[in-house]
Amino acid sequence: MTKPPFMVTLLPSVDVDLGRWLMQLWGVAYTERPHAPVFHILALKSHGVGKDDYPLLIDGDTKTPTIEKLVAAFDDKASSGNRLVPDPQAEPELHAEVMDLQHRMRYDMGEGTVHWAYFHFLQHKKLVWPSLTTGVPWFETAFMSLGGYSVIKAAMFKGLGLGPEDAEKALTRIQAAWDEIDARLADGRKYLCGDRLTLADLAFATSGAPMIVARGYGGHLPEMAALPPEMRAVMEPLRDRPAGQFIQRIYDEARLA
């Protein structure tokens, strides 16, 4: 008997939360198999894919890794109201705008979020613990509980090049994206591109969600009040800006219960 589809994920990842959201809106049923950082690489390799090939959807013998391939596999099969990428033939300009914006928000601003958030969050084990352990295999939690947290943290700091200077550069990228989105929203538009929800909206929302600890994010973020003052000093102003308010509104309105 064929196993039902499942998705191998890095639990706190912003692209993983984008994948969860896409699957939900497309109506694609699956179960999630989350992993803590570093352990996710072992899980991906066990399925014959690379360390960056997540989220990875496995349906029988079919493996669909990364957001790009999930979009290619499922978006044009969704009902017209649930398609998130404009048709390149019918709406070529809107299609180009959506694809450009979603790419920049994920690969420029999103990487900035990863570097700033990991650098700061990983220094506070209690804050980040739910994001690393919720629903992961028991032995991953056991490893981190028995001293492995410091090993995982060191591996992430080394692998990503995390440090104070890197975090400051990352924050510059984040603030530049906030400036761009604030400017887009200044004309009163509801969505970033066109007059309907698109991949661009979800890409910015998920990539920016950790910076405002957005409600509804699937990576188990803490409450703003629990964060240390130096983090709140950066994150509260971002939350209050139009771009930050947009992120929370999109989660509130488009993330299904």
Side-chain angles (χ1 to χ4, degrees):
M1 181 183 240
T2 304
K3 294 181 179 179
F6 63 93
M7 194 157 68
V8 181
T9 68
L10 167 60
L11 180 59
S13 163
V14 293
D15 252 11
V16 164
D17 205 50
L18 176 56
R20 295 181 187 111
W21 206 342
L22 292 172
M23 300 291 277
Q24 186 182 54
L25 293 176
W26 290 328
V28 179
Y30 72 97
T31 57
E32 183 174 349
R33 296 188 184 179
H35 294 275
V38 180
F39 285 99
H40 77 287
I41 297 175
L42 302 177
L44 292 167
K45 288 185 176 180
S46 75
H47 291 291
V49 301
K51 66 181 181 65
D52 297 319
D53 289 334
Y54 61 89
L56 169 65
L57 181 71
I58 299 179
D59 186 1
D61 294 330
T62 302
K63 300 175 184 179
T64 310
T66 73
I67 294 300
E68 286 77 10
K69 291 184 178 180
L70 287 171
V71 169
F74 292 104
D75 193 67
D76 64 356
K77 297 181 178 68
S79 62
S80 59
N82 289 331
R83 290 195 62 178
L84 297 162
V85 176
D87 188 301
Q89 303 303 318
E91 300 176 290
E93 293 183 2
L94 182 59
H95 177 271
E97 182 184 8
V98 167
M99 297 310 288
D100 171 69
L101 187 60
Q102 69 85 22
H103 183 87
R104 289 189 295 104
M105 292 300 108
R106 289 172 52 225
Y107 285 97
D108 192 2
M109 190 271 283
E111 288 187 6
T113 296
V114 168
H115 282 242
W116 190 92
Y118 275 143
F119 172 71
H120 287 282
F121 276 110
L122 286 170
Q123 297 182 57
H124 304 278
K125 180 179 176 180
K126 183 177 180 180
L127 288 179
V128 78
W129 192 253
S131 293
L132 303 183
T133 62
T134 303
V136 307
W138 68 267
F139 56 85
E140 297 181 13
T141 302
F143 173 80
M144 290 191 289
S145 298
L146 296 173
Y149 178 82
S150 60
V151 176
I152 297 295
K153 176 183 174 182
M156 294 176 70
F157 266 60
K158 181 178 180 180
L160 293 171
L162 303 180
E165 183 176 347
D166 175 69
E168 284 302 310
K169 290 179 180 178
L171 183 57
T172 297
R173 296 164 72 180
I174 293 164
Q175 291 173 331
W178 244 251
D179 289 343
E180 178 179 349
I181 300 303
D182 281 354
R184 277 182 176 264
L185 297 172
D187 61 5
R189 67 180 66 192
K190 184 175 182 179
Y191 301 111
L192 298 181
C193 301
D195 59 1
R196 64 185 186 274
L197 186 74
T198 69
L199 181 59
D201 300 301
L202 303 188
F204 175 66
T206 50
S207 294
M211 297 305 302
I212 67 163
V213 290
R215 296 184 308 276
Y217 185 79
H220 303 280
L221 297 171
E223 295 289 333
M224 183 74 79
L227 301 178
E230 64 272 17
M231 293 181 70
R232 293 202 309 271
V234 170
M235 298 167 76
E236 286 176 343
L238 290 175
R239 173 185 273 186
D240 291 340
R241 289 176 57 174
Q245 293 175 16
F246 174 84
I247 290 172
Q248 191 58 67
R249 178 175 64 78
I250 292 296
Y251 267 94
D252 290 343
E253 294 179 358
R255 192 69 175 252
L256 304 179

